[in-house]
Amino acid sequence: MSNVHWVRNCMILSTFAAGATAALAEDASLLGKNVREANGRFTDVATAVAEGYGPIPCASSATSGAMGIHYVNPVYLNDKLLDIAKPEAVMYEPQPDGSMQLIAVEYIAFEGPASLGGQLFSYNTAPNRYGLDAFYELHVWAWRANKSGSFADNNPDVTCDHARE
């Protein structure tokens, strides 16, 4: 293959990869927008509590940030349904003044593979730190940008430093 053809093929592949990356970013952005619209009521943690969600301790990683405090709804956790407006967990970052800032939601399924809005869930084996059977999960960082990705488990810009457990 001549250098001209090699450069042309690389340019085509690069353009294709850029287009695929843009499409993935658009899909993530659309899912995040839909999640924000469906769950904006949870900006006040009292709404989550009133809807049956309860907290579990703040989850963090030694190297990749944190997930924050999950408020989990046991009814949704066990109902075998995935509903964008009824996440199994709502995630908050504890603030220095004791308030909770909504940062993300988590969808959980015990049967899979599972997906929501075209995004596949991650698989978690058992035993796990939550004491759950093996499950599929999808974090959607709809209220806090995440350098690790819109659907990553941890967010390097989230901390549990102000958790009062």
Side-chain angles (χ1 to χ4, degrees):
M1 175 184 300
S2 74
N3 285 343
V4 171
H5 286 105
W6 183 83
V7 169
R8 180 180 168 276
N9 287 343
C10 287
M11 288 173 54
I12 290 169
L13 287 173
S14 176
T15 301
F16 174 78
T21 300
L24 288 173
E26 184 177 325
D27 288 348
S29 176
L30 180 60
L31 182 55
K33 177 182 180 289
N34 292 340
V35 165
R36 277 189 304 280
E37 288 174 359
N39 298 292
R41 68 191 185 279
F42 294 123
T43 55
D44 184 349
V45 71
T47 301
V49 172
E51 290 189 25
Y53 289 84
I56 62 173
C58 201
S60 65
S61 165
T63 59
S64 59
M67 291 185 241
I69 295 177
H70 291 64
Y71 277 70
V72 179
N73 186 310
V75 172
Y76 300 153
L77 188 63
N78 294 306
D79 69 6
K80 297 185 180 185
L81 300 174
L82 289 174
D83 183 333
I84 198 166
K86 297 177 180 176
E88 284 69 22
V90 183
M91 298 158 55
Y92 296 89
E93 181 181 35
Q95 301 299 297
D97 65 1
S99 66
M100 295 289 190
Q101 184 177 43
L102 178 63
I103 53 176
V105 294
E106 181 177 8
Y107 298 94
I108 299 171
F110 292 98
E111 297 176 7
S115 68
L116 183 68
Q119 180 63 42
L120 286 174
F121 287 35
S122 297
Y123 179 70
N124 285 275
T125 61
N128 51 63
R129 66 177 162 184
Y130 308 107
L132 297 174
D133 292 337
F135 65 96
Y136 297 85
E137 55 88 11
L138 177 67
H139 289 102
V140 182
W141 294 92
W143 293 271
R144 176 73 60 87
N146 188 345
K147 294 181 260 193
S148 298
S150 299
F151 309 112
D153 280 349
N154 291 298
N155 187 325
D157 295 325
V158 172
T159 178
C160 289
D161 289 351
H162 304 293
R164 298 180 180 150
E165 302 177 68

